[in-house]
Short mmCIF file of all heavy atoms in Angstrom, two decimals:
data_model
loop_
_atom_site.label_atom_id
_atom_site.label_comp_id
_atom_site.label_asym_id
_atom_site.label_seq_id
_atom_site.Cartn_x
_atom_site.Cartn_y
_atom_site.Cartn_z
N TYR A 1236 15.78 -32.12 43.87
CA TYR A 1236 14.93 -31.00 44.14
C TYR A 1236 15.14 -29.91 43.08
O TYR A 1236 16.25 -29.77 42.59
CB TYR A 1236 15.23 -30.35 45.50
CG TYR A 1236 15.00 -31.24 46.72
CD1 TYR A 1236 16.05 -31.90 47.32
CD2 TYR A 1236 13.71 -31.43 47.22
CE1 TYR A 1236 15.86 -32.70 48.42
CE2 TYR A 1236 13.52 -32.24 48.32
CZ TYR A 1236 14.58 -32.87 48.92
OH TYR A 1236 14.37 -33.67 50.02
N VAL A 1237 14.09 -29.17 42.76
CA VAL A 1237 14.30 -28.00 41.96
C VAL A 1237 15.06 -26.96 42.81
O VAL A 1237 14.91 -26.94 44.06
CB VAL A 1237 12.92 -27.43 41.51
CG1 VAL A 1237 12.11 -26.91 42.67
CG2 VAL A 1237 13.12 -26.36 40.45
N ASP A 1238 15.91 -26.15 42.22
CA ASP A 1238 16.73 -25.24 42.97
C ASP A 1238 15.96 -24.35 43.91
O ASP A 1238 16.42 -24.02 44.97
CB ASP A 1238 17.55 -24.35 41.99
CG ASP A 1238 18.69 -25.15 41.34
OD1 ASP A 1238 19.02 -26.25 41.80
OD2 ASP A 1238 19.25 -24.64 40.37
N ALA A 1239 14.77 -23.94 43.50
CA ALA A 1239 13.99 -22.95 44.29
C ALA A 1239 13.59 -23.50 45.66
O ALA A 1239 13.24 -22.70 46.55
CB ALA A 1239 12.77 -22.54 43.53
N VAL A 1240 13.58 -24.83 45.87
CA VAL A 1240 13.14 -25.34 47.14
C VAL A 1240 14.24 -26.05 47.92
O VAL A 1240 14.00 -26.53 49.04
CB VAL A 1240 11.92 -26.32 46.94
CG1 VAL A 1240 10.86 -25.67 46.11
CG2 VAL A 1240 12.37 -27.64 46.31
N LYS A 1241 15.44 -26.13 47.37
CA LYS A 1241 16.54 -26.80 48.03
C LYS A 1241 16.81 -26.15 49.40
O LYS A 1241 16.88 -24.92 49.51
CB LYS A 1241 17.80 -26.76 47.18
CG LYS A 1241 17.80 -27.73 46.02
CD LYS A 1241 19.09 -27.67 45.22
CE LYS A 1241 19.08 -28.62 44.05
NZ LYS A 1241 20.30 -28.49 43.22
N GLY A 1242 16.93 -26.99 50.39
CA GLY A 1242 17.20 -26.51 51.75
C GLY A 1242 15.92 -26.14 52.51
O GLY A 1242 15.99 -25.89 53.72
N ARG A 1243 14.80 -26.08 51.86
CA ARG A 1243 13.54 -25.77 52.52
C ARG A 1243 12.54 -26.89 52.48
O ARG A 1243 11.75 -27.06 53.42
CB ARG A 1243 12.87 -24.55 51.86
CG ARG A 1243 13.79 -23.27 51.85
CD ARG A 1243 13.00 -22.09 51.38
NE ARG A 1243 12.56 -22.22 50.00
CZ ARG A 1243 11.27 -22.13 49.59
NH1 ARG A 1243 10.30 -21.90 50.44
NH2 ARG A 1243 10.97 -22.27 48.28
N PHE A 1244 12.52 -27.69 51.44
CA PHE A 1244 11.57 -28.76 51.26
C PHE A 1244 12.28 -30.12 51.43
O PHE A 1244 13.46 -30.27 51.01
CB PHE A 1244 10.91 -28.75 49.89
CG PHE A 1244 9.96 -27.61 49.65
CD1 PHE A 1244 9.86 -26.52 50.51
CD2 PHE A 1244 9.11 -27.64 48.54
CE1 PHE A 1244 8.97 -25.50 50.29
CE2 PHE A 1244 8.23 -26.58 48.28
CZ PHE A 1244 8.16 -25.51 49.17
N THR A 1245 11.56 -31.11 51.95
CA THR A 1245 12.08 -32.45 52.10
C THR A 1245 11.04 -33.44 51.60
O THR A 1245 9.92 -33.47 52.09
CB THR A 1245 12.45 -32.77 53.55
OG1 THR A 1245 13.40 -31.80 54.00
CG2 THR A 1245 13.05 -34.14 53.64
N ILE A 1246 11.45 -34.28 50.64
CA ILE A 1246 10.59 -35.35 50.16
C ILE A 1246 11.01 -36.64 50.83
O ILE A 1246 12.20 -36.87 51.02
CB ILE A 1246 10.63 -35.46 48.61
CG1 ILE A 1246 9.58 -36.45 48.08
CG2 ILE A 1246 12.03 -35.86 48.15
CD1 ILE A 1246 9.41 -36.45 46.56
N SER A 1247 10.02 -37.47 51.14
CA SER A 1247 10.30 -38.78 51.78
C SER A 1247 9.20 -39.73 51.42
O SER A 1247 8.15 -39.32 50.88
CB SER A 1247 10.41 -38.64 53.31
OG SER A 1247 9.22 -38.19 53.84
N ARG A 1248 9.43 -41.02 51.67
CA ARG A 1248 8.40 -41.98 51.36
C ARG A 1248 8.38 -43.05 52.45
O ARG A 1248 9.42 -43.38 53.05
CB ARG A 1248 8.65 -42.63 50.01
CG ARG A 1248 9.95 -43.45 49.91
CD ARG A 1248 10.21 -43.84 48.45
NE ARG A 1248 9.17 -44.71 47.89
CZ ARG A 1248 8.97 -44.88 46.59
NH1 ARG A 1248 9.71 -44.25 45.71
NH2 ARG A 1248 8.01 -45.71 46.18
N ASP A 1249 7.19 -43.63 52.67
CA ASP A 1249 6.99 -44.74 53.60
C ASP A 1249 6.34 -45.84 52.80
O ASP A 1249 5.12 -45.80 52.52
CB ASP A 1249 6.10 -44.27 54.75
CG ASP A 1249 5.94 -45.35 55.82
OD1 ASP A 1249 6.11 -46.54 55.51
OD2 ASP A 1249 5.66 -45.02 56.98
N ASN A 1250 7.13 -46.84 52.42
CA ASN A 1250 6.59 -47.90 51.58
C ASN A 1250 5.60 -48.76 52.33
O ASN A 1250 4.76 -49.45 51.69
CB ASN A 1250 7.78 -48.73 51.07
CG ASN A 1250 8.59 -48.02 50.01
OD1 ASN A 1250 8.14 -47.01 49.45
ND2 ASN A 1250 9.81 -48.48 49.78
N ASP A 1251 5.70 -48.82 53.62
CA ASP A 1251 4.71 -49.63 54.38
C ASP A 1251 3.33 -48.98 54.33
O ASP A 1251 2.30 -49.67 54.45
CB ASP A 1251 5.15 -49.78 55.84
CG ASP A 1251 6.39 -50.65 55.98
OD1 ASP A 1251 6.59 -51.52 55.11
OD2 ASP A 1251 7.16 -50.47 56.95
N LYS A 1252 3.28 -47.65 54.19
CA LYS A 1252 2.04 -46.92 54.14
C LYS A 1252 1.62 -46.46 52.74
O LYS A 1252 0.65 -45.77 52.59
CB LYS A 1252 2.08 -45.69 55.08
CG LYS A 1252 2.27 -46.03 56.54
CD LYS A 1252 2.31 -44.77 57.42
CE LYS A 1252 2.46 -45.13 58.87
NZ LYS A 1252 2.49 -43.93 59.71
N ASN A 1253 2.46 -46.86 51.76
CA ASN A 1253 2.20 -46.44 50.37
C ASN A 1253 2.00 -44.92 50.26
O ASN A 1253 1.11 -44.45 49.51
CB ASN A 1253 0.94 -47.16 49.81
CG ASN A 1253 1.17 -48.60 49.47
OD1 ASN A 1253 2.25 -49.16 49.79
ND2 ASN A 1253 0.19 -49.24 48.84
N THR A 1254 2.82 -44.22 50.94
CA THR A 1254 2.66 -42.76 51.05
C THR A 1254 3.96 -42.04 50.79
O THR A 1254 5.05 -42.48 51.26
CB THR A 1254 2.11 -42.40 52.44
OG1 THR A 1254 0.84 -43.04 52.63
CG2 THR A 1254 1.91 -40.90 52.57
N VAL A 1255 3.87 -40.92 50.06
CA VAL A 1255 5.01 -40.03 49.87
C VAL A 1255 4.63 -38.70 50.50
O VAL A 1255 3.48 -38.30 50.48
CB VAL A 1255 5.31 -39.89 48.36
CG1 VAL A 1255 4.13 -39.32 47.59
CG2 VAL A 1255 6.57 -39.06 48.13
N TYR A 1256 5.68 -38.05 51.08
CA TYR A 1256 5.46 -36.82 51.83
C TYR A 1256 6.28 -35.69 51.18
O TYR A 1256 7.30 -35.93 50.56
CB TYR A 1256 5.88 -37.00 53.28
CG TYR A 1256 5.17 -38.12 54.01
CD1 TYR A 1256 5.74 -39.35 54.15
CD2 TYR A 1256 3.91 -37.91 54.57
CE1 TYR A 1256 5.15 -40.39 54.81
CE2 TYR A 1256 3.27 -38.93 55.24
CZ TYR A 1256 3.88 -40.15 55.37
OH TYR A 1256 3.24 -41.20 56.01
N LEU A 1257 5.81 -34.47 51.43
CA LEU A 1257 6.60 -33.31 51.11
C LEU A 1257 6.52 -32.37 52.30
O LEU A 1257 5.45 -31.76 52.56
CB LEU A 1257 6.08 -32.60 49.85
CG LEU A 1257 6.97 -31.45 49.36
CD1 LEU A 1257 8.31 -31.96 48.87
CD2 LEU A 1257 6.28 -30.68 48.24
N GLU A 1258 7.61 -32.27 53.05
CA GLU A 1258 7.72 -31.35 54.17
C GLU A 1258 8.22 -30.02 53.63
O GLU A 1258 9.30 -29.95 53.02
CB GLU A 1258 8.70 -31.89 55.20
CG GLU A 1258 8.80 -31.10 56.47
CD GLU A 1258 7.63 -31.30 57.39
OE1 GLU A 1258 7.12 -32.45 57.46
OE2 GLU A 1258 7.24 -30.34 58.11
N MET A 1259 7.42 -28.98 53.88
CA MET A 1259 7.78 -27.65 53.33
C MET A 1259 7.95 -26.65 54.45
O MET A 1259 7.02 -26.42 55.23
CB MET A 1259 6.65 -27.17 52.38
CG MET A 1259 6.30 -28.15 51.30
SD MET A 1259 5.10 -27.51 50.10
CE MET A 1259 3.66 -27.41 51.18
N ASN A 1260 9.16 -26.11 54.54
CA ASN A 1260 9.49 -25.13 55.56
C ASN A 1260 9.89 -23.81 54.95
O ASN A 1260 10.18 -23.73 53.75
CB ASN A 1260 10.64 -25.65 56.43
CG ASN A 1260 10.28 -26.92 57.16
OD1 ASN A 1260 9.22 -27.01 57.79
ND2 ASN A 1260 11.17 -27.91 57.08
N SER A 1261 9.89 -22.77 55.78
CA SER A 1261 10.24 -21.41 55.28
C SER A 1261 9.47 -21.06 54.04
O SER A 1261 10.05 -20.53 53.03
CB SER A 1261 11.75 -21.33 55.03
OG SER A 1261 12.48 -21.63 56.21
N LEU A 1262 8.18 -21.30 54.03
CA LEU A 1262 7.35 -21.06 52.86
C LEU A 1262 7.29 -19.58 52.54
O LEU A 1262 7.27 -18.71 53.40
CB LEU A 1262 5.97 -21.61 53.09
CG LEU A 1262 5.86 -23.14 52.94
CD1 LEU A 1262 4.61 -23.68 53.60
CD2 LEU A 1262 5.89 -23.54 51.47
N GLN A 1263 7.28 -19.31 51.22
CA GLN A 1263 7.24 -17.98 50.73
C GLN A 1263 6.05 -17.81 49.77
O GLN A 1263 5.54 -18.78 49.23
CB GLN A 1263 8.55 -17.63 49.99
CG GLN A 1263 9.75 -17.74 50.86
CD GLN A 1263 9.73 -16.82 52.06
OE1 GLN A 1263 9.32 -15.65 51.95
NE2 GLN A 1263 10.12 -17.31 53.22
N PRO A 1264 5.58 -16.59 49.55
CA PRO A 1264 4.45 -16.38 48.63
C PRO A 1264 4.64 -17.02 47.28
O PRO A 1264 3.67 -17.47 46.70
CB PRO A 1264 4.37 -14.84 48.55
CG PRO A 1264 4.87 -14.35 49.85
CD PRO A 1264 6.00 -15.31 50.18
N GLU A 1265 5.87 -17.07 46.80
CA GLU A 1265 6.13 -17.71 45.50
C GLU A 1265 5.93 -19.20 45.47
O GLU A 1265 5.95 -19.81 44.42
CB GLU A 1265 7.48 -17.30 44.95
CG GLU A 1265 8.64 -17.62 45.91
CD GLU A 1265 9.00 -16.39 46.76
OE1 GLU A 1265 8.12 -15.59 47.12
OE2 GLU A 1265 10.22 -16.27 47.07
N ASP A 1266 5.77 -19.82 46.66
CA ASP A 1266 5.44 -21.24 46.74
C ASP A 1266 3.94 -21.49 46.59
O ASP A 1266 3.54 -22.64 46.49
CB ASP A 1266 5.91 -21.79 48.09
CG ASP A 1266 7.41 -21.72 48.28
OD1 ASP A 1266 8.16 -22.06 47.33
OD2 ASP A 1266 7.86 -21.31 49.36
N THR A 1267 3.15 -20.48 46.52
CA THR A 1267 1.72 -20.63 46.32
C THR A 1267 1.43 -21.30 44.99
O THR A 1267 1.90 -20.89 43.92
CB THR A 1267 1.02 -19.25 46.34
OG1 THR A 1267 1.16 -18.68 47.66
CG2 THR A 1267 -0.45 -19.41 46.00
N ALA A 1268 0.72 -22.43 45.07
CA ALA A 1268 0.41 -23.27 43.88
C ALA A 1268 -0.49 -24.41 44.29
O ALA A 1268 -0.71 -24.64 45.48
CB ALA A 1268 1.70 -23.79 43.28
N VAL A 1269 -0.98 -25.06 43.27
CA VAL A 1269 -1.61 -26.37 43.52
C VAL A 1269 -0.50 -27.43 43.40
O VAL A 1269 0.25 -27.41 42.40
CB VAL A 1269 -2.73 -26.66 42.53
CG1 VAL A 1269 -3.30 -28.05 42.75
CG2 VAL A 1269 -3.82 -25.59 42.58
N TYR A 1270 -0.38 -28.25 44.40
CA TYR A 1270 0.67 -29.28 44.44
C TYR A 1270 0.07 -30.62 44.06
O TYR A 1270 -0.96 -30.99 44.60
CB TYR A 1270 1.29 -29.32 45.81
CG TYR A 1270 2.27 -28.15 46.09
CD1 TYR A 1270 1.79 -26.89 46.24
CD2 TYR A 1270 3.62 -28.35 46.10
CE1 TYR A 1270 2.63 -25.79 46.40
CE2 TYR A 1270 4.51 -27.30 46.30
CZ TYR A 1270 4.01 -26.01 46.44
OH TYR A 1270 4.85 -24.97 46.61
N TYR A 1271 0.77 -31.34 43.17
CA TYR A 1271 0.30 -32.60 42.65
C TYR A 1271 1.29 -33.72 42.93
O TYR A 1271 2.51 -33.53 42.74
CB TYR A 1271 0.08 -32.54 41.14
CG TYR A 1271 -0.96 -31.56 40.69
CD1 TYR A 1271 -0.64 -30.24 40.36
CD2 TYR A 1271 -2.31 -31.97 40.56
CE1 TYR A 1271 -1.62 -29.33 39.90
CE2 TYR A 1271 -3.25 -31.08 40.13
CZ TYR A 1271 -2.92 -29.79 39.79
OH TYR A 1271 -3.86 -28.89 39.36
N CYS A 1272 0.76 -34.87 43.30
CA CYS A 1272 1.57 -36.08 43.46
C CYS A 1272 1.57 -36.78 42.09
O CYS A 1272 0.57 -36.76 41.35
CB CYS A 1272 0.89 -36.90 44.53
SG CYS A 1272 1.69 -38.49 44.87
N ASN A 1273 2.69 -37.44 41.77
CA ASN A 1273 2.83 -38.03 40.44
C ASN A 1273 3.67 -39.31 40.52
O ASN A 1273 4.59 -39.41 41.33
CB ASN A 1273 3.52 -37.03 39.50
CG ASN A 1273 4.08 -37.68 38.25
OD1 ASN A 1273 5.25 -38.12 38.23
ND2 ASN A 1273 3.25 -37.82 37.23
#
């Protein structure tokens, strides 16, 4: 994780569903952005 999101965001993946997730908690205005999967 980038330091700015440690302890607040959780990345996970489900290979059966070909899907990656980003759980974002305690969101702050500085988290405002367009989020891209890569």
Side-chain angles (χ1 to χ4, degrees):
Y1236 297 100
V1237 67
D1238 285 346
V1240 308
K1241 284 181 180 177
R1243 301 188 298 123
F1244 290 12
T1245 303
I1246 189 172
S1247 62
R1248 65 190 296 161
D1249 185 336
N1250 290 342
D1251 292 334
K1252 296 182 179 179
N1253 285 7
T1254 300
V1255 61
Y1256 303 97
L1257 186 67
E1258 184 77 34
M1259 306 185 293
N1260 298 312
S1261 301
L1262 283 161
Q1263 300 302 316
E1265 53 265 34
D1266 296 314
T1267 295
V1269 178
Y1270 285 71
Y1271 297 92
C1272 180
N1273 163 269

